[in-house]
Amino acid sequence: MAKFKCLECEHEFEIDDNENNKRCPECMSRYLQLLSGEIKRGKSWSAKTFSAR
């Protein structure tokens, strides 16, 4: 679980780490500040491999 604060309405809430769509449940804003916990990140673009056939 990670705790976030909405930068628009200043609502504080917790979201599960596996949640892909992180939005404020009050105003549906995507502008969030991480207060505690960690955000799961994927691979960087340079680490991905692509096959051109």
Side-chain angles (χ1 to χ4, degrees):
M1 293 293 278
K3 187 171 186 178
F4 292 93
K5 178 180 179 181
C6 177
L7 296 177
E8 291 189 17
C9 70
E10 300 192 7
H11 176 70
E12 293 185 12
F13 57 97
E14 291 187 357
I15 297 180
D16 189 21
D17 295 341
N18 296 330
E19 184 76 29
N20 289 335
N21 193 7
K22 292 178 176 56
R23 289 184 180 258
C24 174
E26 296 291 319
C27 68
M28 301 307 288
S29 173
R30 293 184 298 159
Y31 301 108
L32 306 175
Q33 177 184 9
L34 179 65
L35 297 177
S36 65
E38 291 185 11
I39 299 175
K40 190 168 106 176
R41 300 180 187 261
K43 291 183 180 180
S44 67
W45 280 99
S46 61
K48 294 183 179 177
T49 59
F50 297 96
S51 100
R53 289 186 180 195

